[in-house]
Amino acid sequence: MASRKSENDDPKTSQTNGYPVVNGVGQVAYGSQPNGDLTAIDAPQANISTDPGLLGQLPPEIEHITFGYLPISALVSRLVQETFNGFNDVINELSESSIPQINGAAPANTSQANANRKLRLMSFSQERRAQFIKILVLLQWSRQAESMSRVIDLKVWLDGQRRLFDDACNWMGELKRLIGLERTPNPDLKTALEALSLGKAPRLPDLNYLPPKPLSPQQLLKALRGINTQLSIRQHLHETIPPSLRDFSIANGRVTFRVPHGFELDLSIADDDPSSQLYFIGFRFLLPSTSTEIPQGRLRDDIEGRVNHLLGQGGLEECYNFLHDFVLSHKINTFKQQALRLSQESWSEHLKVEAVHRSLVIQYWVGRPGAKNWIEIGIRRRKAKGSSWLNKEEDEPHIGLRWFRAGKEIDDVPVTMKPELLSVESILKQIISAHTNFIFQETVKKLKEGHLYDKKRLRLKQFRSVAEPVDSYLSIHLTASQACTVIQEPVSRRFALLPPSSLNSRAERELNNLSSPEQGASSRIAQLRVVTAYEEIEHTARCCGWDVVNSIRLNQDSLRHHFGHDTLKAGFFKKTSWDAQWLLAFTTSLVEDAWWIVELVRGPLQLDQPAVGPSIRAAFKVPPMDPDAAMRELSLLELSRIERTAAGLISQFTDCRQLSTQKIPHRLVKPTRSRSCSEQSTLYIHIPQNQTPQLLKSEGSTTVPWTNQVVRLSFIGVDTDSSFASHLVVARTDCAALRSQRLSSMTGGSVSFHPQSGAFAFRLINPVGQSTIPAILDRLTRVDRLVIYVMTLQSLKMKAQDLSLDHVEFTYANKPQDYRAKISFPREAPPRLSFNHGNPHLRIRDQLTAVLRTGDGMSHVIPYLQLSLPLMRALAAIEAGHIADRVTILPRSTEWYQIRYRSPPGKFDVRLRRRRESFMWFIQEMSLLDNEPRDQRIRDRLAGMLKGNGEGWVGVKPGIAATLAGVESLLQQIDRIFQHVPTVEPADTNTQHAIKDQNENHKGTKRKAEDDAVVILD
């Protein structure tokens, strides 16, 4: 004890756990014993501190760490490159999101678009600034790189030492545990020898227990009945039975509690004392697709021990809570097994199963775009406030379900979980059915925002199913003749459109690419509907002979500007017979399918070349034939009606524009009783009296007296042969000349006259898109001219033989034969005058035609035919009474004629003159040339006529004056004078005649200038 005390009291030497140490540190060189191995220490008495070789030894150097270091320049270069690339991306993004301009100028800096651009640039700048600040911090630390490297090396070495210490502790604990297993008690060989040799061991204690006698069947039955009685008394009088365990039965010495769709529990007693606990006998599941009995083993032993413990501590209530919770866990596990089996079989790659604590998470439609959809099956515990013992059964834990649709929890889950059926597939089908119904419901809701489906013009019906997703589908009528069915495959959420077609396949692909079908499915179906309707219209239009115009391409803004905000698609069509500036447009949407007439800005379009710049000047909606036309199948007859209505609207528009340009008053009057919405309006044109001659280009100042100066223009249809617009023009006149029953029949149907009312009508066929006003004015001008001619003929009591807008044929005399004249009015040419064969006026046809073509020529020519007929007959008779070349008749004009006799020679000048408010023909003999012989008998007879008179004529110096009727007998008498005188041929006749014609032409020209040769008739 003294020596030990002296050792402990020595300040230079102390012991730690019996080993000598110096200054509190063991004399084991640092690092000489790896992993703390002290087996190399020989004896505690060894004085290691006195070894001079170990005192100067230093520990080994700490390992320098070089792995994983990167140069700071590489980090800076990478950050600069990343910043440059990000800045380029931001610039490109800002350039794509252009700011809309208003009237050529950018909006104010306070606009939302400008603020978004600045915010994007500011967020990028802040993000890059944060990164460069981190680099700045690293650069400041890099100035102490050597010190930091040492700190890192020291940190790594300390972590290694701590790991070695933990490993040593773990090794010692494991060694202790293994040594305990290897220890065995010492064998009692003596007792074992006695037991093996003698069959008994006197050393073992004997308690002298007597074995019980075996029970007979009667005794066993009596015992069981006694136990049953005890159990019955105990259950009815002493036990507190939870509401869920009130369904029990007692038999065979046990009480069996039955929980519907849960479990059966067998309990019994071990003592007659009512206060003693019940003991576990058996447990069975009452679940479908689950084994009833729990096999012998560890699980049953654990359940038995736990149940007996709970029966002793809390009675039946605690036992029920444990077993009920156990059954719920078993149900969740059953759901998990079923879900895993589905994910590996029929629902492979479309179902994801995860177990989170005591809940089961099943994600369906895995791999589809958009937010996730899943259900959670777990144990729901709810405790209602103020709950009592009576409703405690309703508050107990149960299997609950939560549904997350597109990442959002749905409060009202439309799933019925049947307790007698444990089927996760049934739950999934109900959830997917509800999800499918929701998608179709939202689609129907958005489609019914348009009038086509809301007012049931097109059929739209949703078929729902609660348990089978395949029975939920959507039936849609795209047009009156085409329908499709939208179904959704429950496993993969892929849409399918039936029947298969190219359009349906394209729409099906778009539906399957949607991330949110309940939001975007309606727009895809609406697009399918408009494309289907357009293709149907295009096919029918081609059958009707319409041309499809693909050159007009409008953006969505232009489309909505011209055709309304609801328009989704527009197609343009053209009739070959229409004017190039006008087209038909078909627009379709969810509101209605409409037809429009479109007027182009520039010249005609090429059907397959794209239009440059704005091309539509205006668009006008065609009134529908029937608001419910969408419910009927489109036919060729329907398109013909649309063409007829559009042609009428275009014609009326161009006519109104033309009338406004010419400043002609007009108005449109809608029909009072219309059988259809497309009945055309009637255009009433007012022609003022003071503008009638200018508008109708009447000859002179004479015009027809129009009633009210109103012309009615009505569109009556489209000509089937030419596809031109057909119009009916009706006007009324007070002219008495039209009160003739024969006028309509004589005009050949070009103009129809009503003799009682004075109205007349005619039909015009004009290309669609060209104004009919010029043609109407031209036709009215011709009608006006025809009426004026009829009035003139009636005033002169002439008989019209054939009347039309192109010609007038009449008889102006009928003795001794019919003398007819025909005045033709060819288009784009002056009028022409012709006579029937043998008419004496043929000799002056050209002169009469020239007069007819003057401003008021008609009023001169027609009366002149009657007053000049006796003269023309006389001249014709003179020519017919002489052989060729003996007499020549020269018509200088319609009022001046010359008669030349060759043998015997003679010349007479016949002129029409006015005398005392009447017209007379004045015949004067012209002087002959000096070399022309004159028979004395002719001279004497002519001198006698100058002094005498006869029927209708009288001699006056220096000639003879004859009435219009008497000129014929006068000329016949003069002609008889020359016929009864023998013919004398003068010498050198040709030379004399040439000199004579030259002199007479000179004298005639001089006389014509001095005299009034042309007489204007009233």
Side-chain angles (χ1 to χ4, degrees):
M1 295 295 294
S3 61
R4 185 175 299 174
K5 182 177 180 181
S6 62
E7 292 176 359
N8 294 334
D9 294 337
D10 188 1
K12 298 181 180 180
T13 305
S14 63
Q15 290 184 349
T16 302
N17 295 330
Y19 296 96
V21 296
V22 178
N23 295 329
V25 178
Q27 297 182 15
V28 179
Y30 174 77
S32 61
Q33 302 297 332
N35 296 329
D37 189 3
L38 302 179
T39 56
I41 301 176
D42 294 330
Q45 291 79 10
N47 191 0
I48 303 176
S49 59
T50 59
D51 190 353
L54 296 177
L55 292 177
Q57 186 176 359
L58 297 176
E61 290 291 336
I62 297 176
E63 181 182 3
H64 181 60
I65 304 300
T66 60
F67 177 76
Y69 281 85
L70 293 176
I72 192 67
S73 59
L75 184 59
V76 174
S77 175
R78 185 172 301 176
L79 180 61
V80 171
Q81 183 64 34
E82 182 181 359
T83 304
F84 178 76
N85 295 337
F87 185 71
N88 287 336
D89 294 339
V90 172
I91 293 299
N92 295 334
E93 181 181 350
L94 295 180
S95 63
E96 292 177 357
S97 60
S98 60
I99 301 177
Q101 295 187 356
I102 302 176
N103 296 328
N109 292 334
T110 59
S111 63
Q112 184 62 33
N114 197 9
N116 293 336
R117 291 162 59 92
K118 293 180 179 180
L119 184 61
R120 178 70 180 91
L121 188 61
M122 182 64 67
S123 62
F124 174 78
S125 302
Q126 290 179 350
E127 179 186 357
R128 293 294 94 191
R129 179 177 178 273
Q131 296 294 331
F132 277 100
I133 290 176
K134 294 179 181 179
I135 290 296
L136 178 61
V137 173
L138 292 178
L139 288 175
Q140 293 177 353
W141 278 101
S142 64
R143 298 173 183 175
Q144 303 176 2
E146 184 177 357
S147 300
M148 292 301 299
S149 178
R150 293 178 181 177
V151 171
I152 292 173
D153 295 344
L154 183 60
K155 174 69 168 54
V156 172
W157 181 83
L158 290 176
D159 291 342
Q161 295 301 312
R162 185 180 294 109
R163 186 170 56 254
L164 292 177
F165 177 77
D166 294 339
D167 292 344
C169 293
N170 293 335
W171 175 78
M172 287 188 293
E174 184 66 18
L175 180 61
K176 181 179 180 181
R177 188 183 67 83
L178 294 177
I179 291 175
L181 295 178
E182 294 297 331
R183 178 184 297 175
T184 58
N186 296 327
D188 187 2
L189 298 179
K190 183 178 180 180
T191 304
L193 182 59
E194 292 179 355
L196 291 176
S197 59
L198 301 178
K200 59 180 180 178
R203 295 178 179 273
L204 294 178
D206 188 4
L207 301 178
N208 298 320
Y209 283 147
L210 298 178
K213 297 180 180 180
L215 297 176
S216 63
Q218 291 79 9
Q219 294 175 343
L220 182 59
L221 180 59
K222 182 179 179 180
L224 292 178
R225 287 176 178 175
I227 296 176
N228 292 340
T229 302
Q230 294 292 332
L231 288 174
S232 178
I233 295 173
R234 185 166 179 172
Q235 297 302 318
H236 289 89
L237 299 179
H238 303 286
E239 290 290 341
T240 302
I241 303 176
S244 300
L245 295 180
R246 289 179 181 179
D247 183 9
F248 62 90
S249 60
I250 301 175
N252 300 326
R254 65 185 69 184
V255 55
T256 301
F257 296 95
R258 188 177 186 275
V259 179
H261 312 296
F263 59 89
E264 283 186 352
L265 175 64
D266 295 337
L267 301 177
S268 187
I269 58 176
D271 195 351
D272 295 339
D273 187 2
S275 61
S276 63
Q277 73 171 58
L278 298 174
Y279 289 93
F280 177 85
I281 300 298
F283 177 84
R284 293 173 298 278
F285 288 108
L286 295 180
L287 302 176
S289 65
T290 304
S291 59
T292 304
E293 294 286 346
I294 297 179
Q296 296 290 336
R298 181 176 178 179
L299 177 60
R300 181 181 174 85
D301 295 341
D302 290 344
I303 292 176
E304 181 177 356
R306 184 66 181 272
V307 168
N308 289 331
H309 175 73
L310 293 175
L311 287 172
Q313 296 293 330
L316 290 176
E317 184 175 358
E318 293 296 331
C319 175
Y320 168 76
N321 292 336
F322 167 72
L323 293 178
H324 180 67
D325 196 57
F326 173 71
V327 170
L328 293 180
S329 300
H330 179 71
K331 288 182 178 180
I332 293 176
N333 188 57
T334 303
F335 285 142
K336 176 184 175 183
Q337 298 301 324
Q338 293 177 359
L340 290 174
R341 185 167 57 253
L342 289 177
S343 64
Q344 297 172 0
E345 295 176 356
S346 58
W347 295 66
S348 178
E349 299 181 358
H350 300 288
L351 207 64
K352 184 178 181 181
V353 182
E354 293 182 3
V356 180
H357 302 293
R358 295 180 64 190
S359 299
L360 178 64
V361 179
I362 303 176
Q363 180 185 353
Y364 59 94
W365 293 345
V366 176
R368 303 309 301 167
K372 296 180 180 180
N373 306 279
W374 71 90
I375 59 175
E376 292 183 4
I377 303 176
I379 299 175
R380 177 169 295 176
R381 303 175 184 273
R382 65 171 181 264
K383 184 68 175 177
K385 294 182 179 181
S387 61
S388 62
W389 179 264
L390 296 177
N391 59 359
K392 188 175 182 179
E393 184 178 1
E394 300 178 358
D395 300 335
E396 65 185 16
H398 62 281
I399 296 294
L401 180 66
R402 298 173 67 191
W403 179 24
F404 292 84
R405 184 180 64 204
K408 298 180 179 179
E409 184 177 2
I410 306 302
D411 296 332
D412 187 11
V413 181
V415 174
T416 302
M417 299 183 65
K418 298 180 180 180
E420 68 275 7
L421 180 63
L422 288 181
S423 175
V424 73
E425 186 174 9
S426 175
I427 297 175
L428 282 174
K429 286 184 177 181
Q430 294 183 61
I431 289 293
I432 293 177
S433 294
H435 201 159
T436 303
N437 292 334
F438 171 75
I439 293 175
F440 288 157
Q441 178 182 352
E442 292 297 316
T443 303
V444 169
K445 181 179 178 181
K446 293 181 180 298
L447 289 177
K448 284 190 175 181
E449 293 178 356
H451 298 311
L452 283 179
Y453 294 107
D454 185 34
K455 296 185 177 180
K456 298 183 180 179
R457 295 177 181 174
L458 289 177
R459 184 172 178 269
L460 174 62
K461 187 175 182 181
Q462 178 185 359
F463 294 87
R464 300 171 179 267
S465 177
V466 177
E468 286 296 336
V470 294
D471 294 336
S472 297
Y473 60 92
L474 196 61
S475 179
I476 307 174
H477 273 229
L478 304 177
T479 62
S481 59
Q482 298 189 41
C484 76
T485 301
V486 184
I487 61 175
Q488 187 180 19
E489 202 277 323
V491 176
S492 61
R493 203 215 71 178
R494 295 189 62 86
F495 290 92
L497 273 70
L498 302 177
S501 66
S502 58
L503 292 179
N504 290 351
S505 299
R506 184 165 56 199
E508 184 178 313
R509 288 194 298 270
E510 294 178 356
L511 285 175
N512 290 325
N513 292 331
L514 291 176
S515 60
S516 180
E518 59 272 9
Q519 299 293 332
S522 59
S523 61
R524 301 303 186 275
I525 295 177
Q527 190 67 26
L528 172 64
R529 192 254 153 205
V530 299
V531 173
T532 304
Y534 174 74
E535 286 199 353
E536 183 176 303
I537 290 292
E538 181 180 352
H539 175 72
T540 310
R542 291 183 186 274
C543 295
C544 283
W546 296 5
D547 296 329
V548 180
V549 180
N550 297 321
S551 55
I552 300 179
R553 296 182 176 88
L554 302 176
N555 55 26
Q556 197 66 24
D557 295 336
S558 300
L559 190 68
R560 294 179 177 177
H561 172 71
H562 292 291
F563 303 109
H565 296 284
D566 299 322
T567 303
L568 297 178
K569 186 175 180 60
F572 299 90
F573 304 92
K574 182 181 182 298
K575 287 289 293 184
T576 307
S577 59
W578 288 14
D579 188 81
Q581 299 294 330
W582 292 93
L583 300 176
L584 257 179
F586 172 76
T587 60
T588 177
S589 65
L590 292 180
V591 177
E592 62 174 348
D593 292 342
W595 288 93
W596 302 71
I597 53 176
V598 176
E599 184 182 13
L600 302 180
V601 173
R602 57 186 186 83
L605 289 174
Q606 299 295 330
L607 296 182
D608 297 326
Q609 294 183 0
V612 179
S615 58
I616 295 180
R617 178 179 181 181
F620 308 95
K621 190 174 182 180
V622 179
M625 298 294 297
D626 187 358
D628 297 331
M631 301 175 62
R632 298 191 301 269
E633 184 176 356
L634 184 67
S635 61
L636 298 180
L637 179 61
E638 187 74 17
L639 280 189
S640 300
R641 292 177 180 174
I642 294 173
E643 178 185 352
R644 178 184 181 277
T645 305
L649 292 176
I650 293 174
S651 300
Q652 286 185 353
F653 182 81
T654 53
D655 292 342
C656 291
R657 179 183 291 175
Q658 182 69 23
L659 292 172
S660 300
T661 303
Q662 296 184 4
K663 298 181 179 180
I664 300 176
H666 62 280
R667 64 190 179 95
L668 278 173
V669 178
K670 295 183 179 180
T672 55
R673 295 182 179 180
S674 177
R675 293 177 296 176
S676 65
C677 299
S678 62
E679 189 72 21
Q680 297 292 330
S681 302
T682 303
L683 180 62
Y684 288 88
I685 307 172
H686 179 69
I687 303 179
Q689 188 68 29
N690 56 353
Q691 296 184 10
T692 302
Q694 294 82 1
L695 294 177
L696 301 186
K697 302 178 183 179
S698 302
E699 300 177 358
S701 60
T702 304
T703 57
V704 176
W706 305 99
T707 301
N708 300 327
Q709 291 84 41
V710 174
V711 178
R712 187 180 68 190
L713 175 62
S714 302
F715 174 77
I716 59 176
V718 178
D719 185 67
T720 56
D721 297 330
S722 60
S723 297
F724 286 177
S726 180
H727 303 270
L728 180 64
V729 182
V730 179
R732 181 174 295 178
T733 178
D734 294 335
C735 179
L738 298 182
R739 310 289 181 176
S740 174
Q741 297 287 348
R742 301 178 59 247
L743 193 57
S744 294
S745 60
M746 293 176 62
T747 56
S750 59
V751 181
S752 298
F753 293 91
H754 192 269
Q756 285 77 20
S757 63
F760 65 92
F762 56 86
R763 181 169 172 259
L764 283 179
I765 297 178
N766 202 54
V768 178
Q770 296 182 7
S771 175
T772 58
I773 301 302
I776 291 174
L777 295 178
D778 177 70
R779 184 67 65 89
L780 290 177
T781 301
R782 296 166 67 188
V783 172
D784 183 80
R785 180 178 58 195
L786 175 63
V787 173
I788 292 174
Y789 271 81
V790 173
M791 293 170 57
T792 303
L793 294 177
Q794 288 183 355
S795 64
L796 297 175
K797 298 181 180 180
M798 294 183 182
K799 183 180 180 180
Q801 300 294 333
D802 188 12
L803 297 176
S804 71
L805 298 181
D806 297 328
H807 65 273
V808 175
E809 187 176 356
F810 56 91
T811 301
Y812 55 89
N814 53 8
K815 291 182 181 180
Q817 64 178 18
D818 289 341
Y819 296 99
R820 295 185 179 182
K822 182 179 181 180
I823 303 177
S824 301
F825 310 102
R827 294 182 179 273
E828 305 298 333
R832 294 196 302 266
L833 180 63
S834 61
F835 299 95
N836 60 334
H837 180 70
N839 195 309
H841 280 95
L842 286 171
R843 72 175 63 253
I844 59 172
R845 182 183 62 182
D846 295 339
Q847 289 83 351
L848 291 176
T849 301
V851 175
L852 182 65
R853 293 174 179 176
T854 59
D856 200 13
M858 182 270 298
S859 60
H860 302 299
V861 171
I862 295 180
Y864 179 78
L865 293 177
Q866 284 186 332
L867 64 88
S868 65
L869 180 59
L871 175 64
M872 293 296 105
R873 284 202 302 261
L875 295 178
I878 292 173
E879 266 188 344
H882 294 271
I883 62 176
D885 298 336
R886 284 197 61 187
V887 63
T888 303
I889 299 175
L890 300 176
R892 297 295 184 181
S893 67
T894 56
E895 293 86 14
W896 179 20
Y897 302 91
Q898 289 182 355
I899 303 174
R900 296 179 181 181
Y901 289 95
R902 180 179 179 186
S903 179
K907 297 180 181 179
F908 296 91
D909 194 5
V910 182
R911 292 175 180 267
L912 183 66
R913 295 187 181 277
R914 182 185 293 271
R915 181 188 176 101
R916 297 178 182 177
E917 301 301 329
S918 63
F919 289 98
M920 298 187 69
W921 291 102
F922 185 77
I923 295 96
Q924 183 181 3
E925 184 182 11
M926 301 172 62
S927 61
L928 299 175
L929 297 176
D930 295 339
N931 57 353
E932 289 183 336
R934 169 60 61 88
D935 191 285
Q936 188 60 36
R937 292 173 294 180
I938 296 176
R939 183 176 298 176
D940 295 340
R941 292 178 181 177
L942 291 178
M945 293 184 67
L946 291 175
K947 296 179 181 180
N949 55 52
E951 182 180 357
W953 60 272
V954 62
V956 294
K957 288 187 179 182
I960 303 173
T963 62
L964 297 178
V967 70
E968 184 174 4
S969 61
L970 175 62
L971 291 178
Q972 289 177 356
Q973 291 183 19
I974 294 175
D975 185 63
R976 281 195 295 270
I977 293 175
F978 282 89
Q979 286 183 354
H980 291 83
V981 177
T983 302
V984 178
E985 294 291 339
D988 199 5
T989 305
N990 295 333
T991 303
Q992 293 177 6
H993 277 291
I995 296 173
K996 176 182 67 175
D997 291 340
Q998 183 177 2
N999 293 334
E1000 289 183 355
N1001 288 337
H1002 177 71
K1003 294 178 182 180
T1005 304
K1006 183 177 180 181
R1007 190 182 298 114
K1008 184 176 182 181
E1010 296 173 353
D1011 243 352
D1012 186 13
V1014 179
V1015 178
I1016 303 302
L1017 302 180
D1018 188 5

